[in-house]
Amino acid sequence: STVSRNYRFGTLLAKGKNSNQAKEEIKMVVEGAATCHSALKLAKACHVELPICQSVHDIIEGTLTPKEAVNKLMQRIIKEEKL
C-alpha cells in the first residue's frame, strides 16, 4: 500500500533522504528497517546469503544507493539455490 510506513520509507530513501530523515518525516516506527537488520543477523548465524536483504540494509545504512544496489544484484552470478 502506498500509505504504509515501509513503502513511504523506501520512497523517501529513493528520493535521496537518508534513513534518519525518512524516519523523522514518517514520525512512526518503520518495522521493515529493524526487521532487515535482524534477518541479516539470523542469516549470518545460519550461514545463509540474503543478497536482497543485504542490499536493502546497505541502502538504509547509506552505504549503497538504490541504483547501485540494483546494479550489484543484477551482476550476481546465477546459481542454484539451496535450502
Side-chain angles (χ1 to χ4, degrees), residues 14-78:
K15 289 181 179 179
K17 296 203 177 214
N18 67 37
S19 181
N20 289 333
Q21 292 169 330
K23 287 176 186 176
E24 285 176 17
E25 187 167 325
I26 294 170
K27 296 182 173 121
M28 291 187 273
V29 174
V30 180
E31 298 90 348
T35 301
C36 183
H37 178 73
S38 298
L40 285 176
K41 189 174 179 180
L42 180 60
K44 184 176 181 178
C46 295
H47 307 286
V48 175
E49 289 183 29
L50 297 178
I52 295 172
C53 190
Q54 181 65 57
S55 292
V56 170
H57 178 267
D58 294 345
I59 293 167
I60 291 169
E61 292 297 315
T63 60
L64 201 63
T65 67
K67 186 174 182 176
E68 291 168 337
V70 169
N71 287 334
K72 184 177 176 182
L73 288 167
M74 295 304 291
Q75 291 175 11
R76 286 179 49 88
I77 296 170
I78 296 174

